[in-house]
Amino acid sequence: MPVIDLPNIRLHVQELNPGGRETIIMVHGMFSNLAVYYFNIAPMLAKHFRVVLFDMKGHGMSGKVKTGYDLTSMTNDLHDLMDALGIEKAHLAGYSYGGLVALKMAARFPERVGKLAIIEGPDPSEQETLAIIDTYSKEFLIHYIENFADTTRLLAGKRQLEKNHRMYEFLFNETSIRSDMEAEKAFFNDPSVAAIPHETLLIYGEDSNCVPSGRTLASRIPNAKLVLAPGDHNVPVQQPEVIGKELEKFLKPGHRRLLEKHPGARRPRPTEID
């Protein structure tokens, strides 16, 4: 479990298929960690790509800091991580607030990003955004404990709950995370978002409160397509195979040509919204 020293933070990083010809970097959401991808979605993508996962600052096994949870600081970390790993250009996938980090990265450093996949990226201007992220992050942690603990599940689960309780306490009470997130309220209206040139896949749970956010992004990013999958805001945990297959199809070369050639071959679920 390597920890990489960057100019401003130490980040815990995991790689799958490090010899892959193309790289995808996956960004988790606030109050969770890289495990949201590690056990299901990342191994699917690692059949074709080098997959890089990392715990954002203040999360998982990465360094704990009290400030710097705004999108500019987060993308500075990601930029530094790419430099440290020798990654000139990578596809990006981000979930929840991690999706906003991916969007900001594409807007600030377009030359470093290939394709862009946003999973349940919430509109920061919505009053419910922080509550949604908080509620579903807790659900994710419970799911993680119940499904991915080892044979000493009860003991490991108790330890994990205590560990994540401390993480919540730290993030909520000792950092600028809430004010930093609230300061991003105008992000979806930023001209830089509408100027994102990358081919972009937007995946949202059909029962999610964030579907309007997906529709907003689809209307503003010129080269974006919205797909609705069964589930709610926690769709990567609820439907990892569906999400993995959508990402795999999107990232593999030639996927757009196939869609244009066979428009009638689309699955009824997930639903693609043109």
Side-chain angles (χ1 to χ4, degrees), residues 52-111:
V52 176
L53 312 172
F54 68 100
D55 289 330
M56 292 192 292
K57 66 176 67 171
H59 296 72
M61 298 175 65
S62 289
K64 304 297 186 286
V65 294
K66 294 191 176 184
T67 60
Y69 295 92
D70 59 281
L71 294 177
T72 296
S73 296
M74 288 295 200
T75 49
N76 286 341
D77 293 343
L78 180 51
H79 187 276
D80 290 342
L81 177 63
M82 291 179 69
D83 286 348
L85 295 176
I87 301 171
E88 185 63 29
K89 189 173 186 177
H91 306 305
L92 289 185
Y95 168 51
S96 193
Y97 194 76
L100 305 190
V101 174
L103 284 168
K104 186 74 170 184
M105 188 72 182
R108 292 186 67 203
F109 307 106
E111 73 284 356

Side-chain angles (χ1 to χ4, degrees), residues 12 30 41 61 66 71 78 97-98 105 112 120 126 140 144 158 198 212 220 222 224 234 244 248 263 266-267 271:
H12 168 227
M30 286 295 194
I41 298 174
M61 298 175 65
K66 294 191 176 184
L71 294 177
L78 180 51
Y97 194 76
M105 188 72 182
R112 305 296 296 268
E120 282 287 321
E126 297 293 331
F140 153 70
Y144 169 81
K158 182 179 179 181
H198 307 79
R220 294 181 182 171
N234 242 1
E248 183 180 41
R266 302 176 183 179
R267 292 178 295 171
T271 303

